[in-house]
Amino acid sequence: MLNVNDTIQQTRENQKFVSIIIPTFNESMNITDLLNQIQSHIPIETNVEIIIVDDNSPDGTGHIVEKYIAEKMYQPNSVNDKETRTINHLNKNISIKVIHRREKAGLISALVNGIGLSRGQNVLIMDADFSHPPEVINKMITELKNQPNCIIIGSRYIRGGAIKGMPFKRFLLSVGANFIARHGLSLKNVYDPMSGFFAFPKHALQDVEFNTNGFKILLEILIKKKSNICVKEIPYTFKDRKHGQSKLDLPIILDYLKAVWKLYRYGRKSKKQDTQSEKRRSVRFISKAARFYTVGASGVVLNYLVSILLSNGFFGSLGYLQATAIGIAVSVTTNFLLNKFWTFEDKNVEAIRFIKQYGMFVGCSSLGILIQFLSIYFLSESGISYDISLLLGVTIASVSNFLFNKKLTFKENIWD
Ligand code: GDD
Ligand code: MN
């Protein structure tokens, strides 16, 4: 199955802004007209490639496209390229290619193949039968430019969107399938998750592997996209196909139900993993806090012992100021070392980093003292008794001490 990372790599080497991917099976009556119309709706100066993925259509669709490319498209090496260009009034930034597949292997697999061989930063997907109006492409491309982190969906079910000329049976099927997807797969915020007309930046699919069959690749994209990718719907009017026949049949409806079931299970599994990792995260946070305060407590004891033993003649008979200063210096240092190696498990002993961290640790601890003074001052000035203020002040200072050191000294995320 396709891993989208490969195409992201290719993309960097030969940038196109968007690859328009069109699957075809027996679309000979539509394809020429469609290629003409699409090209007239691409904004100038936008680098576009159009990829037709044809499944060896018996009516010769694939060959018609080959002929179209040879006769009408701009050929960089051709002698009469000027002439060719004027014949077809087309712009050099547009190229067309056909992928010929050996046999009819399904719409999703055609699209996955197309995406795999595309060189666009973005991908736009549409049908070949004029159900998806080429004039909307312009708007989609503009949206891709304005919202580089969004999937842009051509939508029949938002204000301004509509369906025209669809047989009633198909309409019911479409509405039913839509209901199942939106409610069964928790896609309530998307009005047309079954759309076959949409565009997205390739990075939205980093690490995604497709493994459903049928017609509804957008569903899989919506379920598996990265969480920071937004969805924007723009309205359009779906028209029944101009020529030829729909390929929607019973096996495709069954494929659809299978796909929904697979994606439903996928969604549940990843939710479970999320809660598990959320749990692991809070355990990590609490255990780090516990170690940090254990270190703090050991520091208090050490501070006390060192100062006493240096002043009472056991190790020396220093004055109490000097003894206190040395007590503080020793405990701050041991606190730092224990927190570095034990609490935050930072084994890096590079000298410069070490000194910077030590400085930051002393800074954060002093900030803690300042915070303690200030909070006690404000609390007791506002009428709260000293013992309660002290308790609150110590708590606020120790919590902020932990958080500041976690974030600033040891460069961790607060909640991680
Ligand atoms: N290469 C290839 N292989 N193309 C295929 C295949 C296939 O097996 N099956 C269908 N296509 C192509 C058709 O030639 C057409 O361009 C496009 O895929 C859609 O096929 P239709 O047969 O026109 O499908 P539809 O009109 O019933 O369904 C469309 O409408 C739905 C909305 O109700 C599709 O666009 C769906 O994606 C869309 O959700
Ligand atoms: Mn159709």
Side-chain angles (χ1 to χ4, degrees):
M1 279 283 137
L2 169 77
N3 187 323
V4 178
N5 289 347
D6 302 342
T7 56
I8 290 174
Q9 188 54 41
Q10 289 172 20
T11 303
R12 288 199 191 102
E13 283 155 20
N14 201 343
Q15 283 273 330
K16 296 272 177 189
F17 180 71
V18 59
S19 301
I20 301 181
I21 301 182
I22 307 171
T24 55
F25 190 76
N26 285 348
E27 303 288 0
S28 60
M29 313 263 272
N30 295 313
I31 197 69
T32 305
D33 201 10
L34 184 78
L35 289 173
N36 285 339
Q37 286 206 30
I38 289 180
Q39 294 185 75
S40 67
H41 287 103
I42 291 172
I44 340 168
E45 298 305 322
T46 307
N47 251 313
V48 175
E49 68 174 348
I50 301 173
I51 301 181
I52 306 294
V53 190
D54 185 68
D55 282 6
N56 201 5
S57 297
D59 74 352
T61 307
H63 304 294
I64 296 176
V65 181
E66 290 290 3
K67 211 164 146 236
Y68 184 101
I69 297 170
E71 287 175 3
K72 293 205 161 184
M73 295 308 289
Y74 169 76
Q75 314 283 347
N77 302 322
S78 137
V79 221
N80 62 347
D81 69 359
K82 243 200 181 125
E83 195 190 331
T84 337
R85 248 189 299 162
T86 42
I87 291 174
N88 74 82
H89 65 271
L90 300 174
N91 123 22
K92 295 209 256 203
N93 297 324
I94 305 177
S95 64
I96 302 183
K97 75 175 171 209
V98 202
I99 300 171
H100 297 280
R101 305 203 309 166
R102 219 173 314 129
E103 55 188 13
K104 188 167 188 302
L107 176 52
I108 287 196
S109 89
L111 294 175
V112 169
N113 265 184
I115 298 172
L117 293 169
S118 67
R119 289 172 298 165
Q121 224 175 298
N122 301 286
V123 168
L124 186 156
I125 286 173
M126 69 188 292
D127 290 351
D129 58 359
F130 286 96
S131 286
H132 302 149
E135 53 275 20
V136 180
I137 292 178
N138 194 319
K139 198 160 167 210
M140 275 196 175
I141 292 180
T142 312
E143 288 294 342
L144 282 174
K145 287 180 180 164
N146 294 341
Q147 318 251 8
N149 273 325
C150 276
I151 296 177
I152 313 295
I153 302 179
S155 176
R156 298 161 290 177
Y157 300 120
I158 56 170
R159 185 197 283 268
I163 296 181
K164 264 198 191 147
M166 193 189 257
F168 189 63
K169 216 169 83 191
R170 269 225 42 202
F171 175 72
L172 279 187
L173 215 59
S174 169
V175 171
N178 190 36
F179 183 87
I180 298 177
R182 289 187 62 208
H183 297 271
L185 295 177
S186 309
L187 289 172
K188 292 190 194 66
N189 298 332
V190 183
Y191 290 90
D192 197 354
M194 319 283 295
S195 177
F197 189 23
F198 57 95
F200 58 89
K202 265 198 204 139
H203 66 80
L205 294 188
Q206 210 147 16
D207 296 326
V208 167
E209 282 192 5
F210 293 102
N211 55 8
T212 60
N213 294 317
F215 265 31
K216 302 300 168 190
I217 197 173
L218 177 60
L219 273 189
E220 195 160 353
I221 292 177
L222 288 171
I223 300 287
K224 296 184 174 174
K225 72 178 175 57
K226 287 197 288 177
S227 55
N228 61 339
I229 298 294
C230 50
V231 172
K232 175 148 195 217
E233 288 178 85
I234 57 174
Y236 83 97
T237 300
F238 180 100
K239 297 184 210 82
D240 201 18
R241 59 166 50 244
K242 238 183 177 173
H243 303 283
Q245 260 179 7
S246 166
K247 284 98 207 167
L248 184 78
D249 53 13
L250 188 64
I252 287 181
I253 296 175
L254 294 179
D255 275 344
Y256 169 69
L257 293 174
K258 264 192 251 162
V260 170
W261 175 241
K262 256 193 198 166
L263 293 174
Y264 172 72
R265 290 217 324 242
Y266 175 91
R268 284 205 1 177
K269 211 163 101 200
S270 58
K271 226 184 246 162
K272 212 156 131 200
Q273 276 166 358
D274 282 357
T275 26
Q276 270 172 2
S277 80
E278 194 56 34
K279 239 192 227 154
R280 274 200 294 274
R281 227 186 238 187
S282 43
V283 167
R284 260 202 319 268
F285 182 89
I286 291 170
S287 83
K288 276 186 188 167
R291 279 182 255 173
F292 187 83
Y293 293 120
T294 311
V295 170
S298 79
V300 173
V301 174
L302 194 67
N303 189 342
Y304 178 80
L305 284 179
V306 169
S307 306
I308 286 285
L309 297 178
L310 282 176
S311 60
N312 70 359
F314 191 84
F315 272 143
S317 316
L318 299 178
Y320 72 94
L321 278 182
Q322 285 151 310
T324 308
I326 295 178
I328 290 177
V330 170
S331 63
V332 167
T333 308
T334 53
N335 277 7
F336 169 69
L337 294 173
L338 285 171
N339 278 325
K340 179 173 167 70
F341 295 116
W342 184 49
T343 310
F344 294 103
E345 295 163 16
D346 176 358
K347 304 275 162 1
N348 190 324
V349 285
E350 201 186 305
I352 297 191
R353 178 182 161 109
F354 203 93
I355 293 166
K356 269 193 192 155
Q357 277 181 333
Y358 186 66
M360 194 52 100
F361 184 78
V362 173
C364 287
S365 311
S366 321
L367 192 65
I369 296 173
L370 186 68
I371 289 176
Q372 182 166 341
F373 265 118
L374 288 176
S375 29
I376 293 174
Y377 172 75
F378 283 112
L379 288 168
S380 39
E381 283 299 306
S382 66
I384 297 175
S385 68
Y386 175 64
D387 45 355
I388 302 280
S389 308
L390 183 63
L391 193 68
L392 287 173
V394 170
T395 311
I396 295 171
S398 16
V399 170
S400 46
N401 209 342
F402 172 61
L403 296 182
F404 279 131
N405 275 308
K406 189 168 183 351
K407 178 89 193 154
L408 301 177
T409 311
F410 298 103
K411 307 274 185 259
E412 286 191 357
N413 290 330
I414 294 287
W415 186 239
D416 209 5

